[in-house]
C-alpha cells in the first residue's frame, strides 16, 4: 500500500536562475536557489511533494507553465497528471485524465499519462528472439506482454530536473534501466524532455542508449478529453489521421502482420469525422478491441523531423490539438476499458469512451514481425524520438 501525503510543501525554482546555475557549475543540473512564493508562472518550475511509496520513496509533482499552457508531471512514472489549455473564450481546463492521489496511480491506473517503456504496446506471448537468443518478458495482458511488463517505466520513479531552452521551459526525466529488468537485455540509459514552448505547445523528446542489443519503443499514454477531464464522452470529438492503412489484430490484440486499407472500415479517419460515428459498427476488428485500439501506419512513415499526422477538434470548447511526430505509427485508443470503477481529478467517474489516447510509436509486436519497422537498438547507437502536441482554438 501507499499513503497520500499533503502537497503543501512547495518549492518554486525559476528557470532563468536554473539556467544561470547550470552555466556557473558547468553541469547539466538545472536547480537553483529556492524561494517559496506560492504559484509558479511562466519561467517557474513548481515542485510539490505528492506522496510516499510503500518502500519510503518520495514522489514529487512538478508544474511548469508557458504561453497559455500549464503542465503537471509526477516523478512516479513520468506521469502527465494535468495538462491545462484554454478554450475559445480563454478559460483554461485540464484535458488529461488522471488521479488526485498517489494511491490511485499505484493501485489502479490504466497508464493514465504515463511514460511507457521499455516497449510501448504489446509483444506476443511475451517473447522475442534477438541475435539468436530468446528473451521472456512478463505476461500482463492476456497471453501477451504489454507496455514493458507488470513493472514497466510507468511504475518507476524518475529523477526530474527543470530547464530553460531559449523561450521554452521544461522538465528532464532520467532513469537507468538495468540489464534484465522485466526480461529485456542491456542496461538502458533513458532521458525524456517534456517541453512547453512559448506558443504553448507540448513537446516530448526521447533519447536512450544501451550497452547490449535490445528493443526499445518509448511513448506517452496520456488520455485526452478536449472538453475537459471528467466532462463525459469523447465520441463527438472530430479526428483526422493521415493514415491509409492500419494493422489488424487477432483476438488478443496482436497484429496479424497485415497492413490493411482503412477505406470502407471504421478506421478511415483520412477525412475528419466524429470519433464515435462508426464505433458501434459490427466490424470484427472493432469487436476485438471493444472499440478502437489499433495501430495506424502513418502515410509519412518514419521521418527525421516531426511531421503533422493528427488533428482533433472538440466542438463545444473550440479546442484543437494537432500532433506531429517522427514515428511511423500511432496507436489510437478510445478508452474502451474505462469501466466506471474509479474517479479522476475532477471527482467524476470515468466510463467507456471518456478519454482517448494517440500514442506515437513504432508498431506493436515489431520484434516478432520482420515486415514492420525495426525497434532494435544496438551499442554505439542512440534511440531518438520526438512528438509535438500543438494547441489552438476555433
Amino acid at each position: 500500500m501507499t499513503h497520500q501525503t499533503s502537497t503543501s510543501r512547495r518549492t518554486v525554482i525559476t528557470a532563468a536562475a536554473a539556467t544561470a546555475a547550470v552555466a556557473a557549475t558547468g553541469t547539466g543540473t538545472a536547480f537553483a536557489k529556492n524561494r517559496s512564493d506560492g504559484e509558479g508562472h511562466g519561467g517557474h518550475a513548481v515542485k510539490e511533494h505528492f506522496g510516499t511509496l510503500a518502500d519510503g520513496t518520495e514522489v514529487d509533482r512538478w508544474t511548469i507553465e508557458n504561453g497559455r499552457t500549464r503542465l503537471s508531471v509526477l516523478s512516479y512514472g513520468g506521469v502527465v497528471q494535468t495538462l491545462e489549455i484554454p478554450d475559445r473564450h480563454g478559460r483554461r481546463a485540464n484535458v488529461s485524465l488522471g488521479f488526485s492521489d498517489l494511491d490511485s496511480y499505484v493501485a489502479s491506473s490504466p497508464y493514465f499519462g504515463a511514460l511507457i517503456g521499455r516497449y510501448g504496446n504489446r509483444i506476443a506471448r511475451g517473447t522475442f528472439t534477438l541475435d539468436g537468443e530468446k528473451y521472456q518478458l512478463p505476461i500482463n495482458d492476456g497471453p501477451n506482454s504489454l507496455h514493458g511488463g507488470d513493472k514497466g517505466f510507468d511504475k518507476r520513479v524518475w529523477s526530474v530536473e527543470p530547464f530553460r531552452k531559449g523561450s521554452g521551459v521544461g522538465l528532464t526525466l532520467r532513469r537507468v534501466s538495468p540489464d534484465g529488468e522485466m526480461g529485456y537485455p542491456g542496461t538502458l540509459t533513458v532521458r525524456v524532455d517534456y517541453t512547453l514552448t512559448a506558443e504553448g505547445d507540448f513537446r516530448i523528446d526521447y533519447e536512450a542508449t544501451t550497452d547490449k542489443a535490445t528493443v526499445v519503443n518509448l511513448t506517452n499514454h496520456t488520455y485526452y478529453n478536449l472538453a475537459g477531464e471528467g466532462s463525459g464522452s469523447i465520441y463527438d470529438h472530430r479526428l483526422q489521421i493521415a493514415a491509409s492503412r492500419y494493422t489488424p489484430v487477432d483476438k488478443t490484440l496482436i497484429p496479424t502482420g497485415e497492413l490493411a486499407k482503412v477505406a470502407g472500415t471504421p478506421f478511415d479517419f483520412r477525412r475528419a469525422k466524429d470519433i464515435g460515428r462508426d464505433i458501434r459498427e459490427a466490424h470484427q476488428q472493432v469487436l476485438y478491441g471493444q472499440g478502437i485500439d489499433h495501430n495506424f501506419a502513418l502515410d509519412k512513415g518514419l521521418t527525421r523531423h516531426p511531421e503533422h499526422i493528427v488533428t482533433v477538434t472538440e466542438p463545444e470548447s473550440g479546442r484543437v490539438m494537432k500532433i506531429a511526430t517522427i514515428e511511423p505509427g500511432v496507436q489510437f485508443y478510445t478508452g474502451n476499458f474505462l469501466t466506471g470503477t474509479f474517479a479522476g481529478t475532477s471527482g467524476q467517474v470515468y466510463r467507456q469512451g471518456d478519454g482517448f489516447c494517440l500514442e506515437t510509436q513504432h508498431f506493436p509486436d515489431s520484434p516478432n514481425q520482420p515486415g514492420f519497422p525495426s525497434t532494435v537498438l544496438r551499442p554505439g547507437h542512440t534511440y531518438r524520438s520526438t512528438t509535438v502536441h500543438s494547441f489552438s482554438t476555433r
Side-chain angles (χ1 to χ4, degrees):
M1 289 293 293
T2 67
H3 63 274
Q4 185 183 3
T5 305
S6 169
T7 59
S8 60
R9 284 183 282 164
R10 174 175 294 173
T11 300
V12 180
I13 302 171
T14 67
T19 303
V22 172
T25 61
T27 70
T29 303
F31 283 103
K33 188 174 292 184
N34 299 341
R35 62 189 181 90
S36 302
D37 63 351
E39 298 296 332
H41 300 287
H44 295 165
V46 179
K47 177 184 176 183
E48 303 171 274
H49 183 72
F50 190 70
T52 305
L53 297 173
D55 64 1
T57 303
E58 294 196 350
V59 172
D60 297 318
R61 174 171 59 195
W62 289 82
T63 300
I64 56 175
E65 183 174 348
N66 208 3
R68 299 187 298 168
T69 305
R70 182 187 294 141
L71 172 70
S72 291
V73 174
L74 306 182
S75 58
Y76 178 81
V79 165
V80 173
Q81 190 213 13
T82 62
L83 179 62
E84 298 171 72
I85 61 173
D87 64 9
R88 63 165 62 94
H89 303 294
R91 297 173 299 202
R92 196 154 51 180
N94 172 29
V95 299
S96 170
L97 275 61
F99 296 117
S100 58
D101 64 279
L102 181 58
D103 279 352
S104 296
Y105 281 104
V106 173
S108 57
S109 179
Y111 304 100
F112 282 146
L115 203 169
I116 301 295
R118 289 190 188 190
Y119 198 94
N121 224 307
R122 296 172 176 88
I123 294 181
R125 298 173 300 281
T127 64
F128 67 92
T129 299
L130 180 59
D131 295 340
E133 186 169 349
K134 185 176 181 179
Y135 295 94
Q136 180 64 57
L137 315 174
I139 303 300
N140 64 327
D141 184 63
N144 306 312
S145 186
L146 175 65
H147 294 332
D150 52 1
K151 195 173 182 183
F153 287 1
D154 61 294
K155 297 178 179 65
R156 308 286 182 172
V157 176
W158 295 68
S159 69
V160 183
E161 297 174 352
F163 69 85
R164 175 184 286 279
K165 185 176 181 181
S167 59
V169 296
L171 302 169
T172 294
L173 291 81
R174 300 180 192 268
R175 184 171 185 271
V176 177
S177 174
D179 183 21
E181 184 175 77
M182 293 289 99
Y184 288 89
T187 299
L188 193 74
T189 301
V190 184
R191 169 180 174 156
V192 180
D193 287 349
Y194 289 160
T195 305
L196 294 184
T197 70
E199 296 75 29
D201 295 349
F202 174 34
R203 175 182 176 122
I204 308 178
D205 292 283
Y206 307 85
E207 184 176 292
T209 57
T210 184
D211 62 0
K212 184 189 297 185
T214 190
V215 295
V216 183
N217 192 28
L218 306 181
T219 191
N220 178 269
H221 207 293
T222 295
Y223 288 68
Y224 291 98
N225 186 322
L226 297 184
E229 172 272 337
S231 64
S233 170
I234 48 83
Y235 291 155
D236 64 348
H237 287 49
R238 291 186 65 78
L239 171 67
Q240 186 172 17
I241 305 177
S244 302
R245 295 180 182 270
Y246 75 107
T247 52
V249 295
D250 64 18
K251 63 182 179 181
T252 72
L253 302 184
I254 292 293
T256 63
E258 178 187 5
L259 292 177
K261 293 181 179 180
V262 300
T265 77
F267 302 91
D268 191 351
F269 288 92
R270 291 174 297 171
R271 293 185 178 181
K273 69 177 182 181
D274 289 359
I275 288 175
R277 194 186 80 178
D278 302 319
I279 208 164
R280 305 296 182 192
E281 187 174 320
H283 188 284
Q284 185 60 66
Q285 289 296 308
V286 174
L287 294 173
Y288 280 155
Q290 299 182 38
I292 298 177
D293 188 6
H294 291 72
N295 169 65
F296 287 70
L298 299 171
D299 291 340
K300 71 174 188 65
L302 180 64
T303 49
R304 291 179 60 85
H305 302 287
E307 293 186 13
H308 174 235
I309 53 116
V310 163
T311 301
V312 190
T313 304
E314 200 285 309
E316 288 297 318
S317 67
R319 293 187 181 94
V320 179
M321 178 173 70
K322 294 184 177 181
I323 300 177
T325 189
I326 74 164
E327 290 294 323
V330 61
Q331 183 83 7
F332 176 42
Y333 171 57
T334 52
N336 314 323
F337 302 109
L338 298 176
T339 58
T341 56
F342 41 68
T345 50
S346 62
Q348 298 297 305
V349 171
Y350 295 147
R351 299 192 181 277
Q352 186 180 54
D354 281 359
F356 66 89
C357 302
L358 288 160
E359 304 155 65
T360 54
Q361 57 191 247
H362 274 51
F363 300 175
D365 199 37
S366 290
N368 297 310
Q369 304 270 2
F372 288 176
S374 175
T375 54
V376 175
L377 178 66
R378 297 188 181 277
H381 295 265
T382 301
Y383 169 98
R384 290 188 176 92
S385 182
T386 298
T387 295
V388 182
H389 305 76
S390 301
F391 300 100
S392 61
T393 57
R394 61 175 56 163

